[in-house]
Amino acid sequence: MNCRDFNNVVNELADGRLMEAAAREAGLGHASECVDCAAQLMDARGTSAALHIAARADVEEAPARVKETLLNAFAERLRESMEQPAPVAERPPVVVELPARRALRRWDAATVAAAAAVLLILGSAYLLRESRRASQPSQMEAALPAPAVSPENVVGPETPDKNKGASVPTIPQDASTNAAANPPIKRTTPLAHKAPRVENVAAKLKSETAARNSAGSMRKGAGSNGGEYLPLTYLAGATAMESGTVVRVEMSRAALISLGVPLSAERTDETFKADVVIGDDGVARAIRLVGND
Amino acid sequence: MLGGSAAAFEALYDRRQGGLYRYALRMTGSEAIAEDVTQDVFLELMRDGRLYDPARGSLKSYLYGMARHRVLRRLERERSHVSIDDEEDGGAPRTDGRLRSDEDPFADLAREETVSLVRQAVLSLPPHFREVIVLCHLQEMNYADAAEVVACPVGTVRSRLARARTMLVEKLRALKGPSLGGRAVKAEQAI
């Protein structure tokens, strides 16, 4: 053992702590041969003895007032804990199923968003429909009183006479007939002479009220060039008719009455000439009387 | 004790208060600080005793660890008070009457002088070296327990202790002269 190794074990040697017997013998042997290490061992033993004396003398304790204070504090704390209500963990939970609430919130948000989207779509559709409705009467009014193609021109050589025989109907019939209910129409002009197409003619012509109001003018105007057209059909969604054909026909009074033309029920076998507006789908849309022979 | 037993708390206090008080006293040299530290340790144990985890160490080490934390904090804050307290005591630490022997008054004087010198020398050590001397020699803890209190490996305690012993010899020699070894040995023989 050299001095450095001895320095590592000198305190254990001085304190008499448990250590390997071989290391102890080596250390003591080195101290017996090395004067410096022997002096170091003597100092270490003196320090160890002094520390031992100091440890034996170390018998102080905390003052009694510390214990009294602590015991009072413990009793006070114990009393407070007994006076307090049940611990929070034992209380019934105030808020439960937080995940469900969150899910509900998410569901609510999704529902609101979907409802908003549906409302937006419906609102847009409604506005679009209203805008179309607002634009259709003007088209109809522009087309019906003065069609782009006059029925007289369509008929050609056949010139309508004044509708002298047509009596004034008192109560117009229901004009809401469809194509299937329409009676057969006797054509006065061959199909080969079909009139040119009428562009941008409104499909939704006029309501029944308008027809009633226009009954007088229809009768008056039916003398030569005919009066106003009376709508025959009210097809849902058929609010616009881009093109159509005006066909002059000859119909009995009864047939006209069944179509809603305001005529009296006298002489039901009497025939009248009329212009019928037929859409591209083949459905008669409107009719007006022309001058009768 | 955590279940609310005052008797258990009192028994624990009686068992551990002396060591904690003396540890704080030797580390700070102030009875007032040692009293505060002892009281604070048990108050915290009363308040946050459930934080103690037996798997991490013994209750003794847990209590000493709390005391050490407070002692080091007080040393940082009231370092100057240590010397003032020492000056108030005249540099003469109190000794227990049981160590006195009526048969050999000279031996008593030698013991008291030795104890006083050792306490002064210990107080003059840096805190990290002081605490291993206090724990391993004055409190007579083994290295493992001291390592738990100081929260460092046993090897670190051992090396610090060796260094502290060397420093302590120098301090004692400076305080009393080169005859320390023989004086201490004579005093121990007188006991």
Side-chain angles (χ1 to χ4, degrees), chain A:
Chain A
M1 178 176 287
N2 55 26
C3 294
R4 178 176 295 179
D5 296 334
F6 180 83
N7 191 43
N8 292 332
V9 297
V10 63
N11 289 326
E12 279 73 13
L13 286 173
D15 294 342
R17 292 179 183 268
L18 291 176
M19 59 187 301
E20 292 182 3
R24 179 182 174 81
E25 293 300 325
L28 292 176
H30 178 77
S32 64
E33 297 173 355
C34 179
V35 178
D36 291 339
C37 289
Q40 186 181 357
L41 177 60
M42 189 173 182
D43 285 343
R45 282 177 172 165
T47 304
S48 179
L51 288 170
H52 183 67
I53 293 170
R56 298 282 296 271
D58 226 6
V59 292
E60 294 96 332
E61 291 186 348
R65 60 177 174 271
V66 176
K67 180 178 180 178
E68 183 180 358
T69 301
L70 289 170
L71 290 178
N72 290 336
F74 188 88
E76 180 69 20
R77 188 174 183 82
L78 185 63
R79 186 164 50 250
E80 288 178 357
S81 64
M82 294 182 67
E83 290 175 355
Q84 286 177 349
V88 177
E90 297 178 1
R91 292 177 186 169
V94 178
V95 179
V96 295
E97 297 179 357
L98 279 176
R101 293 174 67 90
R102 291 194 202 100
L104 184 60
R105 287 191 206 104
R106 286 195 297 270
W107 184 85
D108 286 345
T111 303
V112 170
V118 169
L119 288 176
L120 186 61
I121 293 171
L122 291 178
S124 301
Y126 176 77
L127 292 176
L128 181 61
R129 183 177 178 182
E130 288 299 315
S131 64
R132 285 181 178 178
R133 283 183 179 177
S135 62
Q136 286 162 4
S138 60
Q139 293 177 357
M140 181 180 66
E141 290 172 359
L144 291 180
V149 178
S150 173
E152 288 77 9
N153 296 334
V154 172
V155 174
E158 186 174 10
T159 302
D161 297 334
K162 295 180 181 178
N163 190 11
K164 296 178 181 177
S167 61
V168 177
T170 54
I171 301 175
Q173 298 296 319
D174 187 6
S176 59
T177 56
N178 52 31
N182 286 344
I185 298 174
K186 180 181 178 183
R187 292 181 180 274
T188 58
T189 55
L191 292 175
H193 300 112
K194 190 162 61 175
R197 301 176 68 84
V198 179
E199 301 295 334
N200 297 325
V201 178
K204 186 175 182 180
L205 300 174
K206 287 187 177 179
S207 65
E208 181 181 3
T209 305
R212 290 173 183 173
N213 295 336
S214 63
S217 61
M218 185 177 182
R219 182 197 59 184
K220 294 175 182 177
S224 58
N225 295 331
E228 295 179 1
Y229 279 91
L230 180 68
L232 295 177
T233 60
Y234 296 91
L235 299 178
T239 56
M241 185 176 70
E242 293 182 354
S243 62
T245 304
V246 177
V247 178
R248 175 155 295 179
V249 298
E250 183 175 354
M251 301 175 65
S252 65
R253 177 186 294 265
L256 289 171
I257 291 174
S258 66
L259 290 175
V261 176
L263 296 175
S264 63
E266 303 170 344
R267 300 190 302 273
T268 56
D269 56 345
E270 183 182 8
T271 60
F272 292 90
K273 290 182 179 179
D275 290 338
V276 179
V277 177
I278 301 175
D280 290 338
D281 53 359
V283 178
R285 301 299 180 92
I287 188 172
R288 73 172 181 175
L289 295 176
V290 296
N292 204 357
D293 292 339

Side-chain angles (χ1 to χ4, degrees), chain B:
Chain B
M1 187 209 82
L2 296 177
S5 171
F9 178 78
E10 185 176 2
L12 179 64
Y13 176 83
D14 289 342
R15 185 177 181 185
R16 295 299 177 197
Q17 58 86 22
L20 293 170
Y21 177 81
R22 289 190 292 273
Y23 165 75
L25 180 61
R26 298 298 161 240
M27 285 295 293
T28 63
S30 168
E31 293 178 350
I33 293 177
E35 184 176 331
D36 288 346
V37 167
T38 304
Q39 182 169 303
D40 288 350
V41 166
F42 283 96
L43 281 175
E44 182 170 337
L45 180 68
M46 193 186 309
R47 185 174 55 246
D48 300 324
R50 297 184 187 280
L51 297 179
Y52 166 63
D53 183 7
R56 299 180 60 183
S58 64
L59 180 59
K60 177 184 176 183
S61 298
Y62 181 71
L63 296 175
Y64 272 89
M66 288 195 292
R68 175 178 180 263
H69 177 70
R70 283 160 176 75
V71 162
L72 294 179
R73 196 167 55 190
R74 294 294 289 267
L75 286 177
E76 289 292 325
R77 195 170 59 195
E78 304 181 28
R79 181 172 296 176
S80 59
H81 294 179
V82 174
S83 59
I84 291 173
D85 289 344
D86 289 343
E87 290 173 1
E88 289 175 349
D89 290 342
R94 297 172 184 174
T95 55
D96 191 270
R98 289 174 295 179
L99 292 176
R100 296 186 177 182
S101 170
D102 295 335
E103 298 176 357
D104 189 354
F106 296 103
D108 291 340
L109 288 174
R111 282 194 301 272
E112 290 182 7
E113 185 180 3
T114 300
V115 169
S116 175
L117 289 174
V118 169
R119 289 175 178 173
Q120 289 182 60
V122 169
L123 278 173
S124 66
L125 293 174
H128 288 301
F129 296 105
R130 189 189 316 165
E131 65 183 357
V132 291
I133 290 289
V134 171
L135 292 173
C136 295
H137 287 293
L138 301 184
Q139 296 282 311
E140 297 180 334
M141 278 189 189
N142 58 43
Y143 293 165
D145 288 347
E148 278 189 5
V149 173
V150 181
C152 67
V154 174
T156 303
V157 171
R158 189 187 299 273
S159 61
R160 278 188 191 175
L161 190 59
R163 175 65 179 149
R165 289 279 292 264
T166 304
M167 296 170 67
L168 191 61
V169 170
E170 300 298 327
K171 297 287 184 181
L172 289 171
R173 185 173 291 158
L175 286 172
K176 203 57 183 179
S179 60
L180 170 67
R183 188 188 299 271
V185 171
K186 288 178 183 177
E188 189 174 25
Q189 289 174 350
I191 297 172

